[in-house]
Amino acid sequence: MFSVSNTIVLCFLSILLLSSVAISQKCNPQDKKVLLQIKKELNNSSLLASWNPHTDCCHWDWIDCLGTTNRVMWLVFQAPDVPDTRAIGHIPPSIGDLPFLERFEFQNFPKIIGPIPSTFAKLKNLKYLTITKTNVYGPIPSFLSQLKNLETVDLSSNKLTGQIPSSLSHLPNIKLLHLGDNKLTGPIPDSFGSFKKPSPEIYLYSNKLSGPIPTSFGQLDPERLDLSRNRLVGDASILFGSKKRLVYLDLSRNLLSFDFSKVDFPKKSLAILNLNHNNIYGKIPAIVTKVEDFREFNLSYNLLCGQIPQGGYLHTRFDVFSFYHNKCLCGSPLPKCK
């Protein structure tokens, strides 16, 4: 026969058990089903060892849920220090079945291959898309332009091929477009000049892009622009201007050709300017001595001529390596002009 105290203990244990069940069911059941399918598509990788079907998925590694709804909001796989080889295969298509997902990252997993799944077109709430330092290949999907909430698209350091979709310029909230270090070919889309202002940071370096920089780029006003290590030709002077917001501009290792003496500069914002290994000609304009905060300045391996302007920090902060291998530059820090 149970005593009153035993009854109280049993009631307490029942409450604990019911509470435990409630906690285990905190994660949305449909999201949990999708996550377990993702685990299966990644061949039950040890990367997902914490993804136990008997526990709350909002407490699993790599997951973050929205507190008010307990829907999966973030799915972030990051290996920031060294490459992680536990994830093998393709990016799971089932990720497209997480309707409340706002952030997806796959960073530094070299054994992830294949194309970006077409199911990602369903992720209408996605704001941050990062797939970098993998071996993902194939084209940049044009359906990305349909994901109107995107603020960050970082697809750098993969094996992506083909041309850059011009439709990416239709993204109304984009703040960062990073497509550097891939195998992209063809021209820079002319439509990129129509990005909504303030212009996003754009990184297209280390690809195989060719042709001229679109004249529409003169309408852009990004803080950071990196087009280096491509096969671009023609006039890049449209990117400069005294009223631009430019902080970082890298056009190095292309085939660009324009008169540098006619270029004007933002005097307060510009900190990094790298133009080495091009066919830029003319003189260095004296206005560069008025730029207040140059931290990097490199004009080497061009066709520049004349005396290096003296004054400001230009000839004291930067050594010969910023100027050498030009047609006939002279003056400090190079030898005196004859």
Side-chain angles (χ1 to χ4, degrees), residues 295-312:
R295 297 195 298 273
E296 182 179 329
F297 183 81
N298 194 334
L299 302 177
S300 61
Y301 289 92
N302 277 289
L303 304 174
L304 296 167
C305 211
Q307 182 169 352
I308 297 171
Q310 305 298 300

Side-chain angles (χ1 to χ4, degrees), residues 6-36:
N6 285 336
T7 303
I8 293 173
V9 169
L10 284 173
C11 289
F12 180 70
L13 290 174
S14 297
I15 291 170
L16 283 179
L17 180 61
L18 289 171
S19 299
S20 177
V21 171
I23 291 172
S24 69
Q25 298 303 317
K26 181 180 178 182
C27 173
N28 179 272
Q30 181 57 35
D31 285 357
K32 189 171 190 177
K33 181 180 178 181
V34 171
L35 291 170
L36 291 173

Side-chain angles (χ1 to χ4, degrees), residues 138-283:
I140 297 171
S142 58
F143 66 69
L144 292 181
S145 63
Q146 301 169 24
L147 306 181
K148 300 301 184 182
N149 288 307
L150 277 174
E151 296 180 16
T152 294
V153 175
D154 185 351
L155 303 177
S156 60
S157 299
N158 295 300
K159 297 291 188 292
L160 297 172
T161 55
Q163 297 193 14
I164 300 172
S166 61
S167 59
L168 293 180
S169 64
H170 298 158
L171 292 170
N173 298 305
I174 191 73
K175 297 176 181 177
L176 170 67
L177 179 63
H178 197 333
L179 307 177
D181 193 20
N182 278 288
K183 297 182 178 181
L184 301 172
T185 55
I188 298 173
D190 184 68
S191 64
F192 274 24
S194 63
F195 273 115
K196 187 178 178 180
K197 292 185 178 181
S199 305
E201 297 183 13
I202 300 176
Y203 299 87
L204 305 178
Y205 64 83
S206 296
N207 279 288
K208 299 178 181 179
L209 301 175
S210 58
I213 296 172
T215 55
S216 64
F217 258 47
Q219 304 169 38
L220 284 179
D221 191 17
E223 289 189 346
R224 298 175 182 273
L225 178 63
D226 192 337
L227 308 179
S228 63
R229 296 177 182 270
N230 281 289
R231 300 168 182 173
L232 301 172
V233 300
D235 188 359
S237 62
I238 54 173
L239 302 176
F240 296 84
S242 60
K243 297 182 179 180
K244 296 276 190 177
R245 298 186 306 143
L246 272 174
V247 174
Y248 176 105
L249 179 62
D250 192 342
L251 306 176
S252 61
R253 296 184 180 271
N254 279 288
L255 300 168
L256 299 167
S257 179
F258 59 94
D259 187 347
F260 196 52
S261 65
K262 297 180 180 179
V263 168
D264 201 356
F265 298 86
K267 301 174 184 64
K268 293 187 178 180
S269 62
L270 191 58
I272 294 174
L273 179 63
N274 194 344
L275 303 177
N276 75 79
H277 287 82
N278 279 288
N279 296 314
I280 302 168
Y281 57 90
K283 295 182 179 182

Side-chain angles (χ1 to χ4, degrees), residues 122-139:
K122 297 186 290 183
L123 298 174
K124 301 302 182 181
N125 288 302
L126 197 65
K127 293 182 179 180
Y128 310 100
L129 174 62
T130 300
I131 303 171
T132 181
K133 296 181 181 178
T134 74
N135 277 294
V136 166
Y137 54 77

Side-chain angles (χ1 to χ4, degrees), residues 13-68:
L13 290 174
S14 297
I15 291 170
L16 283 179
L17 180 61
L18 289 171
S19 299
S20 177
V21 171
I23 291 172
S24 69
Q25 298 303 317
K26 181 180 178 182
C27 173
N28 179 272
Q30 181 57 35
D31 285 357
K32 189 171 190 177
K33 181 180 178 181
V34 171
L35 291 170
L36 291 173
Q37 178 61 28
I38 291 170
K39 181 177 181 179
K40 182 178 179 182
E41 290 171 4
L42 279 175
N43 300 310
N44 293 307
S45 168
S46 60
L47 182 75
L48 308 179
S50 70
W51 290 24
N52 184 329
H54 302 295
T55 60
D56 176 14
C57 77
C58 290
H59 293 162
W60 293 351
D61 292 341
W62 319 106
I63 302 290
D64 195 7
C65 295
L66 185 62
T68 54

